[in-house]
Amino acid sequence: MKYSILLLFVCLSGWTSVAQDCKSILLGEISDFHDNTPLYGASITVTGKNQQTLSNQEGKFRFENLCDGVLELEISHPECISKFVTIVINGDSFKKILLEHHLEELDEVKVTGVIKNTTTSAQEGHLSLSEVEKYSGNSLGDALKSLAGVSTLNTGANIVKPVIQGLMGSRVLILNNNVRMQDMEWGEEHAPNVDINTNQDISVVKGAAALEYGGDAIGGVIIMNPLPIVRTDSLFGKTQTNLFSNGRGGNITTTLTKSYSSGLYMKGQASFKRLGDLEAPDYLLSNTGIAEKGVALSVGKRGFLQGWEAYYSYFDSEIGILRASHIGNVDDLIQSINSQQPNVINDFTYAIQSPYQEVTHHLGKLNYYRRFEGLGKWTMQYDFQNNQRLEYDIRVGNDADKASLDLSLTTHSITTGFQFDSKDGLQVKTGLLGRYQNNFANPDTGVRRLIPDYDKIDLGVFSVAEYRLKENLILDAGVRYDFSRIDAKKFYRTSRWEERGYDEDFADIIIEDLGTQLLTNPIFDFHNISATSGLQYDMKKETKLRFNYALAQRAPNPSELFSDGLHHSAARIELGDLRIKSETSSKISLSLEKNSADWGYTISPYFNAINEFIILEPTGVEFTIRGAFPVWTYRQTNAHLLGVDVSAYYNWTPKLRTDHKFSWVKGTDVSTDIPLINMPPANFNNSISYRNPKLKNLVLGLESMYVFEQQRFPDNIFVFSPEQQQEVELDINTPPAAYHLVALDAETSYSIGHRNDLKIGLRVTNLFNTNYRDYLNRLRYFVDDLGRNISLRIIYNY
Amino acid sequence: MQLFNIKNYVALLTVGLLTLSCSNDDDPEAVDEEEVITTMTIELESAGNVVTLQTRDLDGDGPDAPVITVGNLAANTTYTGSIELLNETETPADNITLEVAEEDDEHQFFFDASGTVTNVTYNDEDGDGNPIGLSFTLTTGDPGPGTIRVTLRHEPKKPNDGTLADAGGETDISQSFNVVVE
């Protein structure tokens, strides 16, 4: 970069011939005032003349045939406040112009196609708006799956948990408009309670490098931000609707934004979704409907010096759980696995019956920031969340309509931070967090609590720094400390208390003996340290190398500590352990990236060594009067995860492009040298797209997804079957076969009031109606996965 | 400037946390499982003699396995059988038999006899004329070992062909009794 400027100078100065009148050339370069990065797409106008141009990828622009003398240029950039610059032209000239590029306050307008990463050195992925629009009728996890290294753990098609490089649940943080979601992420059948249509700027940091959001993101961080609001007087809206053949329903979402040039804005968004029973290629998946509604409102003012925002969102989802997956005992499970056919198939219906779950999430946020001249930016935020989870099982008599699980999780957080960015090349961010959380398990369910009542306090402090050592080398480092205390009141069955050996280790926490049950008061403190360090090296034009090391510690979640009882819908007994300690991850990741107009690639290998890795796996059976049930127990071990994500694209012609992605991860319990359970199998995705702007902006795409068979899995367990009166192998860990799915996508845009304001897309997934089962779908024992789905999407901007 | 700010944060945080952490310290209320069946008692009666088969699991889905008691049966005898279901986690024990009888169209017992237990037939039916199994007849053969497996299904397909596979539904009870016919 620097060289090219130098070269320019050399060229220019070599050009000593006396310029004739109005034959001068002005070369210029526009870069960001703070970090000197070139600004692409800035418009430069010679005031009073009809000459205008745009800066190119390197931030350069050029005017020819200028007259010598004084000129005034107006430079404007979508992310910056317009600037007027006066220059004296005397022969061919060069001018470097710095723009105040801090209009990210008006929210990072990502015009350039160059996406600013959250961290400097970690592996990251970003979803384009058109991808988000493609998945507007699906869930967050479905959309994220299009990124290399992200897979999902499903309970059917509607409960989708993102898995980042083999890790999920509490190891993956979700930042929803800068609020860390507290939505009982600990359960395998608990999907994130977010509407993908609310905050559509979605990116993923793989691993724990984004320390400012939390120190326990061993898997990674999913960041969902609102799309930028342009600081002009305007009122605009967007409505998208998607219709699905599979499920015979669809969704609709609308956003209205009113903005003022003063920086004030108001925004409202609402979504509604309704699907009936879904279909596998050969049969109907009874009771797999979904009903979702969401509302988000925000009002704020963003200026350069200061700004604030008040935000509220509500999300409610009611999701049917496959009827055939509700089983009685281990014999039913054996029977389901062996028959490979669902035991209940009813006629199509929109009705959602038991078993189902209904989850409501309220999120409120207030924030304020102020910039101090010559120092940096101070931010302050308070947020409130309430997550209410109701799970309904098939019950009899008076309890038929009563929930079996009724949890209410309330969280208050205060965060504050200061970003020192006045020194060129050095940026330091430091912050504090205080959080109080209360969980209430309603006893009116008449079912023993799986998760107890608890209070939890978190305190955190962090500091991260980024330093530009050389023009092409940036170093980053950070450290964070988190304290958390969990204070629970939990009932244990006396028999369980003794079976777990708690009567010896935890006798002092019993506060009441009720005969068959004990009321206990476990209080645990956790001190966690996390740290990260890395570099970003611009090797040559368009090629970057990133290296990162991240150390992260995560305190056990309530499920890992306290879980105790029969999960009716899963027909398994889940047991936590009071002795579980924090787990510690050390991860090294490397990323080699090339991005040019013609082609590009990213190769990202990583190695993650986790000490005291908390794992849930089948360990045996327990007998009850209803038969035998598999027992899943949490335990700690040392684990290694080794993997690589590769992606590449190639523009064969301006109209034809192919994309290729491959991810592979190998997880091993190194204490026993046994493969880890639920590791995503390798997958290989390829797509080809044809784009013709002249033909109504036609985009045609053909996507292929090949998922390999997972060859590495722990052994099955042997259980005594009361029905067969003998020990039988419970085929619970064997992964299903590899599969290949093909999808088709077509999109065109039309102009009604404005340019290309109407977009219509048609998408067919599982084009050949292939029968398949996925290893990471918890319903794979019972039914095939989804069959063909034809969907239509209509997007209207106004 | 910076110091002043940090002081401010701490003050704000402290105030915030103090206001927020005013949780109530009341102990949660214990839950007694309502619809659990802890005990199934089968009484087999023939000419005044009563033989009892019982399975009893007082800790429900806790770690303890059910305790099974089995009486010996007489050879070549026809018994009249009846079943009683209890939830003994509650005091007094809740009689679940009544619930099953009330919702008899949604329940059915299945009997799987082998060895010296030669036959089991239903003695009762629901409003639609389909069997329930709270009352039944059991026949024994010559002396020797035998097995009787009793399964209670909730919401089975009714009528069905008498097999568990065809009936479907949820298993409320599944218990095998190894008996001796003498």
Side-chain angles (χ1 to χ4, degrees):
Chain A
M1 182 59 153
K2 239 191 179 139
Y3 293 110
S4 54
I5 296 169
L6 222 82
L7 230 113
L8 262 170
F9 268 118
V10 174
C11 290
L12 286 169
S13 44
W15 217 314
T16 43
S17 66
V18 181
Q20 290 158 1
D21 279 355
C22 301
K23 281 278 161 65
S24 298
I25 295 169
L26 169 67
L27 285 174
E29 186 192 347
I30 299 177
S31 31
D32 178 12
F33 174 78
H34 286 266
D35 56 8
N36 265 322
T37 50
L39 289 177
Y40 163 61
S43 93
I44 304 102
T45 316
V46 182
T47 45
K49 300 209 169 92
N50 224 355
Q51 279 177 295
Q52 194 180 15
T53 187
L54 291 176
S55 62
N56 67 11
Q57 297 270 6
E58 281 96 45
K60 303 235 169 64
F61 66 91
R62 176 188 178 102
F63 283 114
E64 289 180 13
N65 300 329
L66 294 174
C67 312
D68 284 356
V70 178
L71 265 188
E72 192 185 45
L73 299 180
E74 182 185 353
I75 300 108
S76 57
H77 186 269
E79 292 171 65
C80 310
I81 298 173
S82 297
K83 188 173 181 177
F84 290 91
V85 180
T86 322
I87 44 172
V88 181
I89 303 283
N90 185 11
D92 296 337
S93 315
F94 176 83
K95 177 78 183 169
K96 185 164 176 155
I97 298 159
L98 297 172
L99 278 192
E100 178 59 71
H101 185 235
H102 263 121
L103 276 208
E104 71 205 38
E105 317 311 353
L106 258 187
D107 248 334
E108 323 100 86
V109 182
K110 284 163 182 162
V111 268
T112 55
V114 178
I115 295 134
K116 191 157 168 29
N117 280 3
T118 310
T119 66
T120 329
S121 60
Q123 298 174 357
E124 297 190 22
H126 187 267
L127 286 177
S128 68
L129 183 60
S130 67
E131 273 167 309
V132 175
E133 284 171 349
K134 241 182 230 180
Y135 292 99
S136 152
N138 303 88
S139 66
L140 172 67
D142 292 313
L144 289 171
K145 221 175 168 170
S146 59
L147 297 173
V150 183
S151 39
T152 59
L153 177 76
N154 289 35
T155 304
N158 291 325
I159 302 179
V160 185
K161 279 179 89 75
V163 179
I164 301 176
Q165 294 183 334
L167 300 171
M168 50 139 188
S170 297
R171 299 183 183 105
V172 172
L173 315 190
I174 297 177
L175 266 292
N176 187 2
N177 194 5
N178 205 34
V179 175
R180 179 175 170 170
M181 290 294 289
Q182 300 286 341
D183 56 350
M184 309 192 198
E185 73 299 327
W186 56 67
E188 287 189 349
E189 72 284 36
H190 301 186
N193 299 122
V194 291
D195 179 358
I196 187 172
N197 299 300
T198 309
N199 295 310
Q200 293 184 305
D201 177 13
I202 302 172
S203 54
V204 170
V205 181
K206 302 171 188 172
L211 283 187
E212 56 181 297
Y213 300 121
D216 51 353
I218 291 175
V221 185
I222 296 165
I223 300 163
M224 306 177 75
N225 279 321
L227 291 175
I229 295 168
V230 183
R231 194 155 114 173
T232 48
D233 287 307
S234 71
L235 173 68
F236 58 93
K238 177 179 171 182
T239 298
Q240 173 164 5
T241 181
N242 303 278
L243 300 170
F244 295 103
S245 69
N246 199 337
R248 307 180 203 178
N251 78 320
I252 182 161
T253 175
T254 293
T255 310
L256 267 179
T257 310
K258 172 78 189 138
S259 63
Y260 301 90
S261 56
S262 65
L264 191 71
Y265 62 89
M266 278 165 272
K267 189 172 164 184
Q269 182 258 345
S271 294
F272 178 77
K273 176 174 171 182
R274 192 78 176 89
L275 290 173
D277 289 339
L278 303 171
E279 280 165 78
D282 296 337
Y283 40 77
L284 203 76
L285 303 168
S286 281
N287 203 39
T288 50
I290 181 169
E292 263 178 19
K293 41 188 183 290
V295 176
L297 303 166
S298 57
V299 53
K301 187 174 177 174
R302 290 186 172 258
F304 178 69
L305 215 57
Q306 59 178 339
W308 56 272
E309 185 184 54
Y311 175 83
Y312 166 77
S313 76
Y314 165 83
F315 186 64
D316 175 85
S317 63
E318 199 178 322
I319 306 178
I321 314 269
L322 179 76
R323 182 64 180 77
S325 74
H326 185 96
I327 50 168
N329 59 27
V330 78
D331 280 310
D332 294 355
L333 183 59
I334 294 167
Q335 191 262 330
S336 294
I337 292 175
N338 292 342
S339 81
Q340 293 281 304
Q341 286 288 325
N343 57 27
V344 185
I345 301 175
N346 298 324
D347 290 338
F348 175 87
T349 172
Y350 286 100
I352 298 169
Q353 285 148 351
S354 295
Y356 72 98
Q357 51 176 249
E358 181 173 8
V359 191
T360 318
H361 195 88
H362 296 269
L363 186 157
K365 165 187 128 168
L366 281 173
N367 74 9
Y368 173 75
Y369 65 83
R370 187 181 173 85
R371 189 174 289 283
F372 294 91
E373 213 177 309
L375 191 65
K377 181 181 163 189
W378 173 62
T379 52
M380 175 88 197
Q381 175 172 312
Y382 162 76
D383 55 77
F384 164 84
Q385 293 177 74
N386 176 263
N387 188 271
Q388 167 94 29
R389 167 170 284 268
L390 298 167
E391 289 183 7
Y392 293 86
D393 269 323
I394 296 167
R395 301 176 76 175
V396 290
N398 299 332
D399 295 329
D401 298 323
K402 225 192 245 182
S404 298
L405 181 123
D406 179 350
L407 297 177
S408 177
L409 184 69
T410 309
T411 312
H412 304 265
S413 309
I414 297 175
T415 49
T416 179
F418 204 95
Q419 181 175 338
F420 302 89
D421 58 4
S422 56
K423 271 212 186 89
D424 220 17
L426 176 70
Q427 212 179 76
V428 179
K429 221 188 259 182
T430 181
L432 292 170
L433 155 85
R435 175 176 292 139
Y436 165 73
Q437 183 171 76
N438 171 268
N439 183 55
F440 172 66
N442 192 345
D444 296 340
T445 56
V447 175
R448 295 183 64 256
R449 302 166 177 90
L450 264 172
I451 302 289
D453 290 3
Y454 72 79
D455 287 317
K456 189 165 173 256
I457 287 174
D458 293 295
L459 296 169
V461 53
F462 75 88
S463 195
V464 293
E466 195 183 295
Y467 178 60
R468 184 179 285 269
L469 190 67
K470 288 199 287 185
E471 183 64 25
N472 59 352
L473 181 64
I474 306 174
L475 304 180
D476 68 1
V479 60
R480 180 176 176 118
Y481 164 76
D482 286 279
F483 165 78
S484 74
R485 163 172 290 185
I486 187 161
D487 179 345
K489 292 264 173 72
K490 172 156 176 66
F491 288 96
Y492 277 94
R493 265 207 185 88
T494 313
S495 57
R496 177 69 68 204
W497 185 256
E498 286 162 4
E499 181 262 342
R500 299 262 91 194
Y502 294 157
D503 50 339
E504 295 191 2
D505 296 355
F506 297 99
D508 54 326
I509 64 168
I510 299 172
I511 50 179
E512 201 180 343
D513 189 340
L514 300 159
T516 56
Q517 293 192 71
L518 299 169
L519 177 60
T520 62
N521 181 203
I523 302 172
F524 298 120
D525 288 350
F526 301 96
H527 302 271
N528 292 328
I529 302 273
S530 34
T532 177
S533 162
L535 59 88
Q536 176 191 315
Y537 178 58
D538 293 345
M539 295 166 58
K540 50 190 173 197
K541 214 178 153 199
E542 297 160 342
T543 311
K544 267 192 179 89
L545 179 76
R546 299 176 202 269
F547 169 80
N548 180 268
Y549 168 77
L551 168 81
Q553 284 191 307
R554 180 180 73 87
N557 65 36
S559 175
E560 290 159 342
L561 288 169
F562 305 123
S563 192
D564 156 36
L566 182 61
H567 238 274
H568 286 265
S569 52
R572 70 191 201 191
I573 292 169
E574 277 182 17
L575 298 178
D577 198 323
L578 293 178
R579 301 175 187 92
I580 285 180
K581 304 273 179 288
S582 291
E583 59 182 19
T584 308
S585 146
S586 295
K587 184 176 183 180
I588 304 169
S589 63
L590 202 66
S591 184
L592 181 67
E593 297 162 24
K594 179 186 168 71
N595 282 297
S596 75
D598 291 339
W599 68 293
Y601 60 82
T602 305
I603 304 170
S604 315
Y606 57 90
F607 175 70
N608 194 351
I610 310 176
N611 278 343
E612 302 290 345
F613 183 65
I614 305 169
I615 187 171
L616 175 66
E617 58 184 11
T619 47
V621 284
E622 279 181 3
F623 295 90
T624 76
I625 197 165
R626 304 201 305 161
F629 291 91
V631 179
W632 289 61
T633 318
Y634 285 102
R635 68 177 173 99
Q636 289 192 282
T637 186
N638 294 336
H640 286 173
L641 280 92
L642 176 69
V644 64
D645 300 334
V646 181
S647 58
Y649 64 88
Y650 193 89
N651 289 310
W652 299 86
T653 74
K655 289 176 182 165
L656 207 62
R657 168 182 166 127
T658 62
D659 279 275
H660 315 274
K661 279 174 197 134
F662 175 78
S663 315
W664 169 81
V665 59
K666 175 182 164 183
T668 312
D669 174 346
V670 288
S671 314
T672 55
D673 200 26
I674 288 173
L676 289 179
I677 193 169
N678 283 348
M679 282 293 126
N683 64 77
F684 190 31
N685 295 348
N686 293 285
S687 65
I688 179 163
S689 58
Y690 170 81
R691 186 179 292 267
N692 192 339
K694 284 184 190 146
L695 227 99
K696 296 278 175 208
N697 273 315
L698 176 73
V699 186
L700 276 178
L702 189 67
E703 301 159 22
S704 137
M705 175 166 84
Y706 186 83
V707 178
F708 291 82
E709 181 176 334
Q710 179 55 277
Q711 301 287 352
R712 303 182 76 256
F713 55 95
D715 288 339
N716 288 315
I717 56 171
F718 284 84
V719 299
F720 181 80
S721 157
E723 208 163 285
Q724 298 176 38
Q725 287 290 305
Q726 59 176 342
E727 286 271 309
V728 293
E729 182 176 6
L730 184 59
D731 202 6
I732 205 167
N733 285 336
T734 312
Y739 62 87
H740 180 223
L741 300 179
V742 176
L744 200 66
D745 199 281
E747 190 177 271
T748 56
S749 352
Y750 303 88
S751 305
I752 297 180
H754 305 280
R755 220 176 127 245
N756 296 329
D757 50 4
L758 178 72
K759 261 200 268 185
I760 296 177
L762 184 75
R763 184 172 176 82
V764 186
T765 50
N766 196 358
L767 186 65
F768 301 116
N769 217 13
T770 310
N771 284 300
Y772 73 100
R773 296 188 184 209
D774 189 89
Y775 180 52
L776 290 186
N777 190 334
R778 298 171 70 242
L779 302 187
R780 72 172 194 271
Y781 307 126
F782 311 103
V783 284
D784 286 343
D785 227 301
L786 287 197
R788 185 185 297 125
N789 181 25
I790 302 168
S791 63
L792 178 74
R793 63 176 182 273
I794 302 166
I795 304 165
Y796 182 49
N797 287 291
Y798 44 92
Chain B
M1 182 56 151
Q2 182 197 345
L3 209 94
F4 167 76
N5 271 330
I6 286 171
K7 261 189 198 160
N8 252 351
Y9 307 156
V10 174
L12 257 161
L13 267 175
T14 319
V15 171
L17 283 172
L18 280 177
T19 31
L20 297 173
S21 46
C22 44
S23 66
N24 64 27
D25 264 344
D26 294 344
D27 286 342
E29 154 193 344
V31 175
D32 289 313
E33 303 259 303
E34 286 163 15
E35 67 211 64
V36 169
I37 301 170
T38 59
T39 314
M40 172 170 74
T41 312
I42 301 174
E43 298 212 324
L44 299 169
E45 192 259 301
S46 170
N49 293 326
V50 177
V51 179
T52 306
L53 309 178
Q54 191 188 58
T55 173
R56 193 170 189 218
D57 189 2
L58 292 181
D59 77 339
D61 56 16
D64 296 344
V67 177
I68 298 164
T69 27
V70 180
N72 290 348
L73 299 174
N76 300 310
T77 310
T78 300
Y79 288 96
T80 306
S82 65
I83 297 181
E84 184 192 50
L85 306 173
L86 295 179
N87 174 8
E88 293 191 82
T89 59
E90 291 183 15
T91 342
D94 188 16
N95 190 344
I96 310 282
T97 327
L98 303 174
E99 240 171 71
V100 173
E102 222 166 82
E103 297 169 357
D104 53 9
D105 56 329
E106 290 180 5
H107 289 94
Q108 186 175 344
F109 284 92
F110 294 84
F111 304 95
D112 192 1
S114 62
T116 53
V117 181
T118 50
N119 195 22
V120 180
T121 51
Y122 291 99
N123 265 350
D124 52 4
E125 53 185 40
D126 62 20
D128 305 320
N130 296 313
I132 311 161
L134 281 169
S135 163
F136 60 93
T137 307
L138 179 144
T139 335
T140 58
D142 294 333
T147 309
I148 169 169
R149 185 156 58 88
V150 184
T151 308
L152 172 61
R153 282 282 169 91
H154 176 214
E155 288 187 348
K157 186 177 98 188
K158 271 187 147 185
N160 51 63
D161 68 3
T163 64
L164 289 167
D166 183 53
E170 265 73 45
T171 306
D172 280 346
I173 296 175
S174 174
Q175 190 65 62
S176 281
F177 298 96
N178 294 318
V179 295
V180 175
V181 175
E182 44 181 32

